[in-house]
Amino acid sequence: MFELTIVVNHLSILVVAGGRFQLPAGLILCITLFMTKSTTVEDKKRGRGRPVTTGKTPITGVRIADEIGDALDKFAAHELDTPNRSEAIRRILRDWLSNHGYLPK
């Protein structure tokens, strides 16, 4: 014979296998709340140090005067794909360097 004793809020209830036993609604709610599967959240361990960067080439920081920044924005606006400032600077430098023989065409 199988017997199960359930204790909830200091009330002991004996359930016998094969017998019919009706539990109060509040007790069923308590049992389902306590018997749900527990889940664990595993945090990713972060390494120490600087985060990984996406670029392959070294970064060169440059301070640009307002008038040159405005000219860069105008240049970017006239391009078909409207590049950001970084890409506009790359294009202008690449064109100038190749036109003056510093880069192959």
Side-chain angles (χ1 to χ4, degrees):
M1 176 182 274
F2 175 78
E3 293 184 359
L4 172 67
T5 304
I6 302 173
V7 180
V8 178
N9 294 337
H10 305 293
L11 296 174
S12 179
I13 300 171
L14 179 65
V15 179
V16 179
R20 292 186 164 239
F21 187 78
Q22 201 168 10
L23 295 174
L27 184 61
I28 293 173
L29 179 62
C30 289
I31 291 172
T32 57
L33 286 178
F34 290 118
M35 294 187 70
T36 58
K37 286 189 174 183
S38 63
T39 57
T40 57
V41 177
E42 295 181 20
D43 292 331
K44 285 186 177 180
K45 291 188 178 182
R46 294 184 179 197
R48 296 183 65 153
R50 294 183 64 133
V52 178
T53 58
T54 57
K56 304 278 186 211
T57 58
I59 296 174
T60 305
V62 179
R63 293 188 191 271
I64 297 178
D66 290 337
E67 59 192 22
I68 296 174
D70 293 340
L72 282 170
D73 293 339
K74 288 178 187 176
F75 170 80
H78 285 91
E79 292 290 304
L80 294 177
D81 58 348
T82 315
N84 58 18
R85 275 193 177 181
S86 298
E87 182 59 30
I89 292 170
R90 281 189 216 102
R91 289 180 188 180
I92 291 169
L93 278 173
R94 190 178 304 116
D95 289 344
W96 190 91
L97 291 171
S98 64
N99 288 337
H100 285 82
Y102 295 106
L103 277 176
K105 289 187 178 184

